[in-house]
């Protein structure tokens, strides 16, 4: 090779080196490795309704995260790369300032509800506020095994057995949850309805004592709602966790009047009485009206009933839209011989609770024909089922010692075709 060839070859090598140094070669030589995200935790925060706009904080064995819940209570947290589980989650329900926790042992679905709070408390045998404040992930990893989580859920189900049946919910922590919202209070799924029942059946002053009990291994857990259940209250005194106090806030619906007689084509306004969820604003009363029989007349959205032209016995049903399983029915008798006076009969409550062997005064109300005087209220009470307890002439009901669902009937003496039936739940909170 002559000198001229050597100079040319060297120049080409020099140019090639400069191109490589300046990035002129293939871009694959300068590509950065893609960032790898850590585990993702997603779920729903709810306690009878979706918890909206609340901060969800997460602490993991390595890596932390935080986010806000959406309008339907859902949340999603993508943890930093290199994060590792288990994790402890926490949020606060602004409706009652209660904190809710859950323990995630794998990525994916993890909810925050009163049921996850109870399960986590039982699993760790500790106040979850303290666990979250200073988590010992070695202890959490050792304790939060699949077998221990299953056992903790069984214990919580046993505690709640007198309030609701949780057998249809296989996993309190990670079963998908669709929560009702203030805009659509009837949109929740089966798990959400379970939370509704728990929220309504458990008296407020028993929530924290229940959690405290779940941290104890002795003297053992008690079944709330069952006879003999006693827990330690916040004031250090014994507190009954059975009896009507558990059902003070249970959802109800009643119709007034409960029974009436109309002439064909006659009109009568029937009203519904319900109790409302706390911290929920309703645009209108969440009640849907329906005439049960196809030829039984019509009823407007505000409860104004118009009788059919044909005499007969018909029924008008008022159904709660926020609790679709709850309804009350009014008995309507259309009678061609009915006088201008419209006789009615109402009961104070269509559903009542009483403990086995306990007593409760049932109340009925009637209207009176003009210019007619009665020595006593013309109504008679009776028990529908055999062995379902006793009831006095004044409506004082004494329950049998056996729990169950029974019925009492009240009837007008002056218009015997008019009657109403009261459902009596003996040691059995309403769904």
């Amino acid at each position: 090779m002559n000198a001229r060839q050597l100079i040319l070859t060297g120049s080409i090598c020099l140019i090639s080196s400069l191109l490589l140094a300046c990035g002129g070669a293939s871009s694959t030589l300068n590509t950065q490795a893609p960032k790898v995200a850590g585990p993702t935790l997603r779920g729903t925060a709810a306690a009878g309704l979706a918890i909206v706009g609340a901060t969800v904080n997460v602490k993991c064995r390595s890596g932390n995260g935080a986010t806000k819940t959406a309008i339907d209570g859902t949340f999603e947290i993508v943890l930093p790369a290199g994060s590792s589980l288990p994790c402890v989650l926490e949020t606060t329900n602004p409706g009652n300032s209660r904190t809710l926790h859950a323990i995630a042992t794998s990525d994916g679905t993890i909810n925050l509800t009163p049921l996850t709070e109870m399960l986590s408390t039982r699993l760790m045998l500790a106040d979850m506020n303290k666990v979250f404040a200073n988590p010992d992930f070695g202890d959490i990893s050792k304790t939060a095994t699949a077998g221990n989580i299953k056992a903790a859920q069984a214990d919580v189900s046993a505690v709640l057995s007198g309030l609701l049946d949780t057998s249809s919910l296989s996993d309190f922590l990670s079963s998908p949850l669709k929560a009702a919202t203030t805009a659509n209070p009837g949109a929740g799924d089966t798990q959400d309805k379970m939370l509704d029942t728990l929220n309504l059946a458990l008296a407020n002053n028993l929530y924290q004592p229940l959690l405290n009990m779940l941290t104890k291994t002795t003297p053992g857990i008690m079944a709330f709602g069952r006879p003999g259940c006693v827990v330690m209250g916040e004031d250090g005194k014994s507190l009954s966790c059975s009896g009507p106090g558990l059902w003070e806030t249970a959802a109800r619906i009643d119709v007034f009047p409960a029974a009436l007689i109309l002439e064909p084509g006659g009109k009568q306004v029937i009203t519904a009485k319900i109790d409302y969820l706390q911290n929920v604003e309703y645009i209108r009363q969440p009640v849907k009206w329906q005439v049960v029989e196809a030829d039984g007349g019509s009823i407007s959205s505000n409860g104004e009933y118009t009788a059919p032209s044909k005499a007969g016995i018909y029924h008008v049903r008022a159904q709660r839209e926020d609790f679709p399983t709850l309804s009350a029915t009014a008995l309507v008798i259309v009678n061609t011989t009915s006088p201008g006076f419209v006789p009615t009969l109402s009961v104070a409550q269509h559903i009542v609770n009483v403990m086995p062997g306990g007593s409760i005064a049932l109340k009925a109300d009637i209207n009176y024909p003009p210019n007619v005087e009665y020595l006593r209220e013309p109504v008679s009470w009776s028990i529908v089922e055999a062995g379902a307890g006793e009831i006095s002439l004044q409506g004082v009901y004494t329950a049998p010692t056996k729990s169950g669902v029974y019925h009492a009937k009240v009837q007008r003496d002056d218009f015997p075709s008019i009657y109403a039936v009261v459902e009596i739940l003996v040691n059995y909170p309403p769904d």
Side-chain angles (χ1 to χ4, degrees):
M1 180 180 295
N2 57 36
R4 184 176 181 180
Q5 289 175 320
L6 288 172
I7 293 171
L8 179 61
T9 301
S11 299
I12 292 173
C13 291
L14 177 60
I15 293 171
S16 299
S17 299
L18 291 172
L19 285 172
L20 287 171
C22 296
S26 172
S27 62
T28 59
L29 297 176
N30 198 39
T31 301
Q32 294 182 352
K35 292 182 178 180
V36 179
T40 298
L41 301 176
R42 63 178 65 88
T44 302
L49 281 174
I51 298 174
V52 181
T55 299
V56 177
N57 290 302
V58 181
K59 294 181 180 179
C60 303
R61 181 192 291 274
S62 62
N64 300 324
T67 190
K68 291 274 190 180
T69 57
I71 195 170
D72 59 353
T74 58
F75 62 89
E76 180 175 284
I77 298 176
V78 180
L79 294 166
S83 298
S84 61
L85 284 75
C87 301
V88 186
L89 293 80
E90 180 185 75
T91 194
T92 300
N93 182 1
N96 53 25
S97 299
R98 291 174 180 167
T99 53
L100 301 174
H101 299 88
I103 295 175
T105 57
S106 62
D107 62 349
T109 302
I110 184 75
N111 297 314
L112 286 162
T113 72
L115 289 176
T116 70
E117 177 74 9
M118 294 174 189
L119 187 152
S120 302
T121 300
R122 186 60 180 172
L123 178 67
M124 300 306 301
L125 295 177
D127 182 340
M128 285 304 298
N129 290 298
K130 296 179 180 179
V131 172
F132 185 81
N134 188 26
D136 180 345
F137 287 105
D139 182 50
I140 293 172
S141 295
K142 181 180 178 181
T143 303
T145 64
N148 287 345
I149 291 173
K150 184 176 180 180
Q153 178 163 319
D155 285 346
V156 174
S157 294
V159 170
L160 300 177
S161 61
L163 303 178
L164 75 161
D165 180 6
T166 61
S167 61
S168 62
L169 187 58
S170 60
D171 187 344
F172 288 179
L173 293 170
S174 61
S175 294
L177 167 60
K178 180 181 179 182
T181 64
T182 55
N184 193 356
D189 60 12
T190 301
Q191 185 179 173
D192 182 72
K193 297 294 188 297
M194 195 177 295
L195 293 173
D196 285 336
T197 301
L198 177 61
N199 188 44
L200 294 168
L202 183 64
N204 289 334
N205 65 332
L206 288 174
Y207 180 78
Q208 190 57 48
L210 187 153
L211 292 178
N212 293 341
M213 183 190 68
L214 290 174
T215 67
K216 312 296 183 185
T217 56
T218 56
I221 57 175
M222 302 288 292
F224 275 52
R226 300 298 183 191
C229 180
V230 177
V231 292
M232 187 71 70
E234 291 300 280
D235 58 359
K237 298 180 180 179
S238 296
L239 182 66
S240 173
C241 47
S242 63
L246 292 172
W247 312 311
E248 290 172 353
T249 58
R252 291 285 192 270
I253 182 169
D254 295 290
V255 290
F256 301 89
L260 66 154
I261 297 177
L262 284 175
E263 295 177 340
K267 295 179 181 291
Q268 175 73 30
V269 174
I270 302 174
T271 60
K273 178 184 177 183
I274 69 172
D275 51 356
Y276 292 88
L277 292 173
Q278 294 182 355
N279 304 312
V280 177
E281 294 183 1
Y282 291 83
I283 298 175
R284 62 175 179 82
Q285 188 182 48
V287 173
K288 179 174 67 177
W289 293 95
Q290 176 191 15
V291 179
V292 175
E293 294 79 14
D295 59 348
S298 62
I299 191 164
S300 68
S301 59
N302 62 359
E304 184 178 33
Y305 173 75
T306 302
S309 58
K310 180 182 177 182
I313 299 176
Y314 307 99
H315 301 84
V316 175
R317 179 181 296 127
Q319 182 181 34
R320 288 192 66 150
E321 294 175 314
D322 49 352
F323 295 92
T325 59
L326 296 180
S327 64
T329 302
L331 171 70
V332 180
I333 298 170
V334 178
N335 192 335
T336 55
T337 62
S338 176
F341 167 72
V342 178
T344 64
L345 169 68
S346 294
V347 291
Q349 288 184 306
H350 278 76
I351 302 175
V352 298
N353 299 88
V354 62
M355 293 297 292
S359 297
I360 188 171
L362 305 180
K363 297 180 181 180
D365 183 51
I366 66 170
N367 62 345
Y368 293 89
N371 304 316
V372 176
E373 294 183 0
Y374 293 91
L375 295 176
R376 66 171 182 86
E377 186 178 43
V379 296
S380 297
W381 291 90
S382 60
I383 301 297
V384 175
E385 300 90 357
E390 300 176 350
I391 195 164
S392 70
L393 293 175
Q394 293 75 30
V396 177
Y397 171 77
T398 301
T401 56
K402 181 181 179 181
S403 63
V405 182
Y406 307 104
H407 300 86
K409 179 180 178 181
V410 59
Q411 185 175 33
R412 283 192 70 148
D413 297 332
D414 49 353
F415 295 93
S417 58
I418 298 183
Y419 67 89
V421 175
V422 177
E423 186 174 50
I424 305 169
L425 307 176
V426 178
N427 194 37
Y428 187 81
D431 294 332

